Amino acid sequence: MIEEEKIQRIHELVDKLNKASDAYYNGRMEIMSDHEWDALFDELKTLEEETGEILPSSPTQNVSEDNVEGKKEEHEFAALSLAKTKQVTELVKWAEGRPVWMSWKLDGLTLVVTYDNGRLSKVVTRGDGHIGTNITHLASAISGIPVHIANKGHIVIRGEAVISYSDFDRFIIESGEDYANPRNLASGSLTLKDIEEVKRRNIQWIPFSLVYTGKEDDSTVSFGARMEWLDKMGFSTVERQLIDVPDEVNIQNAVDFFSKKVTSGENPFPVDGLVITYDDTAYAQTGSVTGHHATRGGLAFKWQDEEAYTELKEIEWSCAASTISPVAIFQPVDLEGTTVKRASLCNISECERLGIGGAGTKLYVIKANKIIPKVVRVEESVGTLSIPDTCPACGSPTEIVTSDASGTRTLHCSNPVCPAKQLRKYARFVSKAGMDIDGISEQTLAKFISNGWIHEYADIYKLRNHIREIASLEGFGEKSASNIMRSIDKAREADAERLLTAISIPKCGPDVAKRLLSVYDFHDFVQIAQEGNTNGDTTFSHIDGIGPERSTLITAWFSDNENMRMLNNLLQEITVTQREHKSSNGLCSGMTFVITGDVHHYSNRNELKAYIESQGGKVTGSVSKSTSFLINNDITSTSGKNKKAHELNIPILSEEEFINRFGNKDHGITQLSLF
């Protein structure tokens, strides 16, 4: 490559890498894999060294930046990035024989948290390393950031905001939103203004560095002591391991220790490598700053991805959520101790970028970060990529959609009610939090839907009609098919809370279902939910933890004829059971009420009944010796219930009197939490 071509390539690489970084760090769809980014970055670095041409916008000179919107603030201590290596020998060389700590390089967003006089004073994103965004208002929605600590000094801590794989999967299933990975969800969440919505994402902040304490003594002289000090303050710090003698054997052993946790799934959080840090913090600060890297601030280690050469057997078009995604099925290969025979190709643009052809195409695959199978390059393309013109799940015409933001081309089904577009709803239905049908994964559901066996929830309970076809699918067999049938039969007795969680009512997860059914019988709840939306009211907003928005969404779901059709069909296949809940600390605890006549402050008697039950009371239909109060707005009425109450000396309360005594949802009542 001549000099002019090298400089042109530098410009191409800088543009491509910066676009990929922007998408990666700001919650949008990824446009290249980590493996490719690293390869292009290394190519750029080599070309810059060869030509001396370094653009001001080059990622070799800048910290990758998050662009969270909000008030910008300059960091007191610059949050510099780390140099990277894939070689254990480089880690040994960098350590210089000094004790080092190895810890996770967590894959999230770096947040700098500051305390003054024992109180949280600010939370700022890393931004470009020098200027970040103040997101202190979101601190209460992020787990791991206490409001108070037992120290009155000026404390600055750096940590990573991450979302675990399990919380990511749960959120994607419950919300139906489309995020590529936990990191994208975390970065997208920090742009929201609704604190409750951010809290739903279960973001956790994990400190990895105590930056400043304002004092120098035994508690702060070393990295290990600093992290231990944070632990004593109540923080949940990053997992780490001390390497006293950082020779090649000891560092390799530490790398293997962490690597095994990744491949076994023992580590719950996404990571993109490891970090080594000097234990001697004073020595670490003596290094120089090159570009945006502190030479002794730490060194990041990224795993050398193990590649395998294989041959493409076919492209399977998988119907998942809103897209029809290409999946490479290839000759099985061994990677990272497991057999791999399929890898998602994400979208049409990725296939075109790689040069994917048809059967016989020669390609290389890896397990990115030792977990996710990826096709990284094509050695020889055979034939052409065949893009289906009809949906595998419903047979409707397909269409290719190009994203305005990234130019990414994806395949979609034109049918708005295609069952494949409901895949995540079905995945939620069979999940452990839902109906707990073991043996049916999202991938398995996609196959069943693509074969036309599932169009609604009730069809899952009719899969026995396809047991022989299931047994003949690749990777199944008679035993797997029989196990699935047993799991389905076991799930025919359905706990009411699980059922409400399973059917994808907006903003109705396990906690909300529990709160609703602590007040209502399941069948009563369904009837009231249908009636509630007709009146345009917020039927369930009086229940602690529900609120008007959730209540409106819940009643709207039950007013939809198609939702009710599917629910009624499902109820023909299952038996609903319900656990009894009792509240022992509510305002009506231990009391029994009877309600008669019209109500004015509550939307209807059912809503008043629900409030009483939410506060630990009981509502019956007739007055007896066990009745504590009769509620009737017409106290002078000569009705049978009023007469009976007078005979038994049971107090009769108007609705107004009840509200004054036991709380009013419209005028700042004191609602005690049910849980």
Side-chain angles (χ1 to χ4, degrees):
M1 187 184 291
I2 62 175
E3 193 78 4
E4 188 176 324
E5 289 175 339
K6 288 181 179 179
I7 291 175
Q8 183 180 345
R9 178 60 174 164
I10 285 173
H11 282 263
E12 291 174 0
L13 290 171
V14 167
D15 182 60
K16 185 179 287 189
L17 288 168
N18 284 341
K19 284 180 179 177
S21 288
D22 181 56
Y24 179 81
Y25 280 94
N26 294 292
R28 293 188 289 278
M29 182 180 290
E30 291 187 14
I31 58 179
M32 71 172 65
S33 67
D34 285 350
H35 181 88
E36 184 186 2
W37 199 95
D38 288 341
L40 294 181
F41 182 88
D42 290 343
E43 181 187 351
L44 173 62
K45 196 171 180 181
T46 299
L47 288 173
E48 287 177 342
E49 290 171 355
E50 289 177 358
T51 63
E53 178 79 8
I54 301 176
L55 302 180
S57 59
S58 173
T60 64
Q61 304 301 304
N62 298 290
V63 176
S64 297
E65 181 177 359
D66 63 66
N67 290 319
V68 177
E69 292 184 7
K71 180 184 176 183
K72 300 303 177 183
E73 186 160 330
E74 186 174 356
H75 287 299
E76 184 179 357
F77 304 94
L80 304 178
S81 62
L82 302 176
K84 301 175 180 65
T85 182
K86 293 186 176 182
Q87 305 297 328
V88 168
T89 53
E90 288 296 316
L91 296 179
V92 176
K93 180 180 177 182
W94 184 89
E96 299 177 325
R98 297 171 176 272
V100 293
W101 288 85
M102 182 172 287
S103 59
W104 294 118
K105 187 176 184 293
L106 295 165
D107 193 15
L109 269 80
T110 298
L111 301 180
V112 182
V113 176
T114 303
Y115 290 87
D116 287 292
N117 298 315
R119 185 177 180 83
L120 176 68
S121 56
K122 61 182 175 181
V123 179
V124 181
T125 68
R126 186 181 69 166
D128 66 359
H130 297 279
I131 296 174
T133 303
N134 190 310
I135 59 164
T136 310
H137 62 288
L138 294 179
S140 63
I142 303 171
S143 175
I145 304 180
V147 176
H148 300 281
I149 61 172
N151 183 280
K152 299 299 182 183
H154 178 63
I155 310 297
V156 181
I157 310 166
R158 213 171 279 145
E160 200 80 353
V162 293
I163 296 176
S164 69
Y165 286 114
S166 60
D167 283 334
F168 173 75
D169 292 339
R170 176 194 55 76
F171 177 82
I172 293 300
I173 289 172
E174 288 188 5
S175 69
E177 295 184 36
D178 192 17
Y179 285 90
N181 51 49
R183 201 224 174 276
N184 281 127
L185 176 58
S187 60
S189 299
L190 295 183
T191 65
L192 301 175
K193 293 180 172 60
D194 185 342
I195 292 177
E196 289 302 314
E197 186 59 31
V198 176
K199 196 176 290 185
R200 280 184 66 214
R201 287 48 180 345
N202 282 356
I203 302 174
Q204 300 179 58
W205 183 69
I206 302 177
F208 58 73
S209 175
L210 174 56
V211 180
Y212 182 79
T213 63
K215 64 176 183 176
E216 290 295 333
D217 57 28
D218 290 343
S219 67
T220 61
V221 72
S222 73
F223 177 83
R226 285 175 175 243
M227 297 304 288
E228 189 176 336
W229 185 87
L230 286 173
D231 289 333
K232 289 177 180 177
M233 288 290 112
F235 295 97
S236 296
T237 55
V238 68
E239 183 180 8
R240 57 198 177 276
Q241 189 177 101
L242 176 64
I243 308 172
D244 274 316
V245 181
D247 57 24
E248 191 163 345
V249 171
N250 289 333
I251 287 185
Q252 184 65 61
N253 286 341
V255 169
D256 292 343
F257 168 80
F258 285 101
S259 299
K260 191 175 291 186
K261 287 200 166 193
V262 173
T263 55
S264 67
E266 187 179 344
N267 175 49
F269 299 106
V271 297
D272 61 353
L274 304 168
V275 175
I276 61 168
T277 310
Y278 288 116
D279 187 52
D280 186 340
T281 56
Y283 181 72
Q285 293 171 11
T286 62
S288 60
V289 175
T290 304
H292 280 64
H293 302 93
T295 58
R296 289 179 179 156
L299 181 62
F301 172 81
K302 301 197 77 170
W303 286 284
Q304 185 75 51
D305 295 312
E306 179 185 340
E307 285 188 347
Y309 176 80
T310 186
E311 184 175 303
L312 183 69
K313 295 168 67 176
E314 63 173 318
I315 297 294
E316 176 184 284
W317 292 86
S318 174
C319 303
S322 62
T323 59
I324 304 173
S325 303
V327 179
I329 311 297
F330 41 78
Q331 295 295 341
V333 292
D334 291 328
L335 281 172
E336 309 292 351
T338 61
T339 300
V340 179
K341 54 186 177 182
R342 57 188 293 127
S344 172
L345 291 165
C346 300
N347 49 57
I348 295 171
S349 293
E350 177 72 354
C351 291
E352 292 172 341
R353 185 186 66 78
L354 289 166
I356 295 290
T361 292
K362 311 299 188 296
L363 46 81
Y364 285 90
V365 295
I366 65 167
K367 283 184 76 175
N369 285 333
K370 298 185 174 289
I371 299 176
I372 303 169
K374 282 184 179 289
V375 176
V376 290
R377 69 179 188 278
V378 169
E379 180 75 9
E380 178 189 349
S381 183
V382 176
T384 57
L385 175 68
S386 177
I387 301 172
D389 53 14
T390 59
C391 172
C394 71
S396 300
T398 59
E399 54 189 4
I400 297 174
V401 176
T402 302
S403 166
D404 292 335
S406 63
T408 301
R409 299 189 340 130
T410 52
L411 188 66
H412 297 257
C413 174
S414 60
N415 177 9
V417 293
C418 174
K421 292 183 177 181
Q422 311 302 315
L423 175 61
R424 284 181 173 148
K425 291 185 178 180
Y426 293 122
R428 175 175 179 169
F429 185 84
V430 302
S431 69
K432 285 198 175 295
M435 301 302 286
D436 193 17
I437 303 178
D438 193 34
I440 303 184
S441 64
E442 187 170 320
Q443 186 175 313
T444 299
L445 280 170
K447 286 185 178 181
F448 293 171
I449 291 169
S450 293
N451 284 327
W453 301 336
I454 296 176
H455 297 89
E456 58 179 287
Y457 296 128
D459 291 337
I460 293 172
Y461 291 90
K462 299 174 183 176
L463 283 170
R464 188 173 289 279
N465 297 334
H466 303 283
I467 187 170
R468 296 208 175 277
E469 295 160 282
I470 292 171
S472 66
L473 291 174
E474 183 184 354
F476 282 79
E478 291 186 8
K479 185 175 180 181
S480 294
S482 295
N483 287 341
I484 288 173
M485 295 310 130
R486 276 196 291 272
S487 294
I488 290 172
D489 289 341
K490 183 180 176 182
R492 286 185 185 276
E493 184 172 300
D495 175 75
E497 288 178 18
R498 285 184 175 276
L499 178 58
L500 279 191
T501 302
I503 57 179
S504 291
I505 302 168
K507 292 186 181 292
C508 183
D511 180 63
V512 171
K514 185 174 184 179
R515 291 172 186 271
L516 290 167
L517 295 175
S518 69
V519 174
Y520 295 101
D521 170 80
F522 173 78
H523 296 286
D524 288 346
F525 162 76
V526 172
Q527 182 179 346
I528 293 167
Q530 286 181 278
E531 294 171 352
N533 197 65
T534 304
N535 299 328
D537 61 23
T538 51
T539 304
F540 307 112
S541 61
H542 61 284
I543 299 175
D544 186 47
I546 304 299
E549 181 188 2
R550 273 199 174 93
S551 179
T552 301
L553 289 171
I554 290 168
T555 53
W557 190 94
F558 282 94
S559 72
D560 184 283
N561 291 334
E562 179 62 15
N563 288 338
M564 287 308 302
R565 184 193 68 78
M566 288 196 295
L567 178 59
N568 288 328
N569 287 346
L570 174 61
L571 292 175
Q572 298 299 311
E573 302 291 332
I574 62 177
T575 302
V576 180
T577 61
Q578 186 168 350
R579 289 170 285 173
E580 185 177 350
H581 293 279
K582 293 182 180 180
S583 176
S584 60
N585 61 351
L587 297 171
C588 303
S589 178
M591 302 177 193
T592 301
F593 296 79
V594 175
I595 308 169
T596 189
D598 294 330
V599 292
H600 309 305
H601 292 279
Y602 289 86
S603 301
N604 49 49
R605 282 191 285 179
N606 277 329
E607 187 179 9
L608 174 54
K609 175 186 175 184
Y611 174 70
I612 291 170
E613 291 176 340
S614 76
Q615 297 300 315
K618 183 179 179 182
V619 178
T620 60
S622 58
V623 177
S624 67
K625 288 181 180 180
S626 62
T627 303
S628 306
F629 296 97
L630 171 65
I631 301 174
N632 187 350
N633 279 320
D634 187 357
I635 294 177
T636 61
S637 167
T638 56
S639 68
K641 287 180 180 175
N642 272 31
K643 285 181 180 179
K644 187 72 170 177
H646 285 304
E647 289 173 10
L648 298 174
N649 291 318
I650 292 168
I652 303 175
L653 302 178
S654 69
E655 192 180 0
E656 193 76 40
E657 288 171 326
F658 171 83
I659 286 168
N660 290 336
R661 190 161 181 171
F662 295 102
N664 181 347
K665 71 183 181 69
D666 297 321
H667 297 96
I669 61 170
T670 302
Q671 289 195 3
L672 301 182
S673 172
L674 298 179
F675 307 97

